[in-house]
Amino acid sequence: MSISHLSPNSSALEEGAPAMEGSFVSAVQLTKQFGEHKAVNDVSLDVAKGEVISIIGPSGAGKSSLIRCLNLLEVPSSGRLRIGDATVDFDTGTPSKASVRNLRNYTGMVFQSFNLFPHFTALKNVTLPQMRVHRRSKAEAEERAMQELKRVGLESKAGAYPAQCSGGQQQRIAIARALAMDPQLMLFDEPTSGLDPEIGAEILQVMRKLASDNMTMLVVTHEMEFARHVSNQVAVMVEGSIIEQGPPEQIMTAPNNIRTQKFLSAVLGR
Amino acid sequence: MFEIFAYIARGAGWTIVMTFGSAAIGIVLGLPLLVLAESKFALIRGIYNSIVHVIRGVPTLVWLFISFFGVGQLGITLSPVTASLLTLSIIATAYMSEIYRGGMKAIPAGQWEAAGALNLDRWSTLRFVIGPQLFRAVSPSVATQIIGLLKDSALVSTIGVADLVFRAGIMTQYHAHGLYMFGIAGAVYLLLSLPIAVFSRTVHTRITRRYAVA
Ligand SMILES: Nc1ncnc2c1ncn2[C@@H]1O[C@H](COP(=O)(O)OP(=O)(O)OP(=O)(O)O)[C@@H](O)[C@H]1O
Ligand SMILES: [Mg+2]
């Protein structure tokens, strides 16, 4: 865990403190602008290897935009980003195809709406990207796919099409699909929001296991229990900025920022 | 009696060539046009939109006459068959590319995003993720369009291509009995549209069987 995370004062982050030695992900002064509106406004964020950071905050705060900036589904308007050995500088124009590819090689993403390929079985969903991107043979890719489906408890659904699976099952297949690509950073954008609470709990269970296997994770979530008990850090985002970041206990029980207090009292109902 | 039937039915040859020739060209050439239709440059989209609007806004018969009688004035003489095939193909291409454009809209943005997040390159995304879903999305409309082309192809008789209608017309001139002659032509059109409808239905049920569960 890097020092900057321990600082409850976010001003050091907002001024774009240089990346900490040893941080695995380092975002510096990222801004994403849609027209006039800054969905992400000068956000800096460091993530150490194996760290789990939950990003919480009100609707429209820019949480999705921020994590989509990390795998370049949204190309930031300015700032710099490093994941592992891949670096991109957005101040010098649009990133090259090669740098996008290098960066994405480190990341896997899980969406609120699953986004499985509906015309493929679960197995093919998990197999095809491995074959196309990592050039694995069919046998290799299928063996790996079965391992990952097993990890999420769905080997039995290998031959099923997404439409034949429940929402919770689809989301677990989507997680298996991402994991089979050997990501070193997993990005989750409200993976349980579209699901019933009991079903969401299955997904959270899978994520908890992943965290205990030392996966580095950034999780946009409304699940305060998960944020509190699974993540090492909680970042609070409001109006495009991370207004506060720290250990979950501190953020949940003794937030410094008045807007964090307001947000938490709204979601926790106290 | 049978000779008359056989004479008219032989017109199915040109009807089939016109219909499926132009359909095939439209199905293939409509795809690259999609690149223009979806271009990020407003100017290119504007040009595409105007061209498609002009092609679709003028009656097929008028285009047929323009390419047969009109282009001749520019010093290029097209045979009836060439003029017909050219005209129907251009029209088919405009319609197919609009069908593809509609089909693209039906594919959720999440499909592109998932492919991007998985690091699939552009070609793999189009070939394995978008293409198959596009095919399923457009196949009913494409089938409808082919049946439309089949019926439009009757217009080529007006510039002398010896299709079903042309031959039914000749038989009527010789023997009268127009009801009978054009009845035969009509029946053959129906017969030709049948496999297209069946194909479309088969594709559709194969898809819904997979998709629509749950
Ligand atoms: N593609 C886009 N074009 C224009 N504006 C956008 C786009 N994507 C997001 N925005 C805007 O950026 C802001 C942040 O959106 P974002 O989806 O990142 O918020 P969020 O924190 O994820 O909210 P939620 O909790 O509702 O998912 C919003 O005002 C939104 O309207
Ligand atoms: Mg969001």
Side-chain angles (χ1 to χ4, degrees), chain A residues 68 71 73 100-101 104-105 107 109 111 115-120 128-129 132-133 135 161 163-165 177-178 181, chain B residues 109-124 128-130 132-133 136 209-214:
Chain A
R68 290 159 59 87
N71 68 351
L73 283 185
V100 174
R101 190 156 10 102
R104 284 183 177 168
N105 220 3
T107 61
M109 188 170 214
F111 302 85
N115 295 344
L116 288 177
F117 304 134
H119 55 300
F120 289 158
L128 180 102
R132 301 303 304 176
V133 178
R135 301 281 154 202
Y161 285 91
Q164 298 165 324
C165 299
R177 179 175 71 174
M181 302 300 282
Chain B
Q111 293 292 305
W112 294 92
E113 293 179 354
L118 289 161
N119 222 352
L120 286 170
D121 59 32
R122 196 169 174 73
W123 163 247
S124 301
F128 297 102
V129 177
I130 304 301
Q133 295 188 65
R136 288 160 167 79
R209 206 177 300 149
R210 280 181 196 170
Y211 275 115
V213 197

Side-chain angles (χ1 to χ4, degrees), chain A residues 34 37 39 57-66 74 189-190 220 222:
Chain A
F34 293 109
H37 180 68
S59 181
K63 307 179 296 293
S64 299
S65 302
L66 175 61
E74 305 289 358
D189 191 359
E190 299 195 30
V220 174
H222 292 303

